[in-house]
Amino acid sequence: MKKNVRAFSNLAKGCPVLLLTDLDRYSCPPELINDWTALPLHPNLLFRVAVREVESWLLGDGKGLSSFLQLRSSIVIADPENLADPKEELLRHALKSPVRRIRDALAFHDDRGQVYQGPDYNGTLAGFVMNHWHVSSASGRCHSLERFLAALQRMEERS
């Protein structure tokens, strides 16, 4: 996506565009944004950064994710954005799911215990987001999600 920021900005001249990326190894969102953008962006381009990874936003609704995975106990993470690797955390919880279809779609591990993304990771999590995720619960624990929602609201009010 980094190499296409200018193209997204040009596209925003015709319609609003949302560009969402993970913070990953950058120390803070302004550092990533400064590295990715040399020129001013079109005002219709909403460029937001999930801290540290968008999976932290999903973990922010631990009760909903636990229910989706059909886990016996709830996932409780007070500050998901402070996890070193939110995706790995989500995958480890997915491996505990008693529902084979969900477990196999989301995650698998090798003989050494290394956890990997499953073959339908995105599709299965899209189902969670569309049908089970409580964004209000997650935004209470994830400040970058809270800021994203506020920016989206401001963009909607402008149009």
Side-chain angles (χ1 to χ4, degrees):
M1 285 194 296
K2 179 181 178 181
K3 65 182 178 184
N4 293 319
V5 170
R6 180 180 281 186
F8 289 128
S9 187
N10 286 332
L11 180 64
K13 292 175 184 173
C15 63
V17 174
L18 169 63
L19 178 59
L20 176 63
T21 188
D22 292 339
L23 181 60
D24 287 328
R25 302 198 191 292
Y26 287 89
S27 64
C28 64
E31 180 185 56
L32 182 148
I33 292 168
N34 288 336
D35 186 38
W36 283 34
T37 60
L39 301 171
L41 300 175
H42 192 277
N44 282 340
L45 174 63
L46 182 57
F47 184 16
R48 304 305 294 184
V49 181
V51 176
R52 175 122 334 249
E53 297 171 330
V54 76
E55 283 83 356
S56 66
W57 294 1
L58 305 181
L59 290 164
D61 177 21
K63 184 177 176 182
L65 186 58
S66 300
S67 175
F68 176 73
L69 296 173
Q70 299 185 31
L71 300 177
R72 290 185 184 172
S73 56
S74 287
I75 298 169
V76 179
I77 302 171
D79 189 359
E81 293 182 317
N82 265 337
L83 294 171
D85 191 342
K87 185 174 193 172
E88 183 176 324
E89 181 78 13
L90 192 149
L91 293 175
R92 292 201 180 278
H93 287 292
L95 286 172
K96 297 175 189 171
S97 175
V99 182
R100 183 176 184 158
R101 176 185 50 80
I102 293 174
R103 186 178 62 238
D104 290 350
L106 289 174
F108 65 95
H109 58 82
D110 64 15
D111 295 340
R112 296 172 294 151
Q114 179 68 41
V115 181
Y116 298 96
Q117 177 179 318
D120 193 26
Y121 181 80
N122 292 328
T124 301
L125 287 181
F128 166 65
V129 169
M130 296 292 289
N131 302 310
H132 302 277
W133 188 48
H134 294 107
V135 68
S136 58
S137 296
S139 67
R141 290 192 170 95
C142 301
H143 298 298
S144 67
L145 174 59
E146 188 176 33
R147 290 189 299 271
F148 166 75
L149 294 172
L152 202 56
Q153 180 69 35
R154 287 190 301 273
M155 182 178 229
E156 184 179 31
E157 289 168 1
R158 283 196 326 253
S159 56

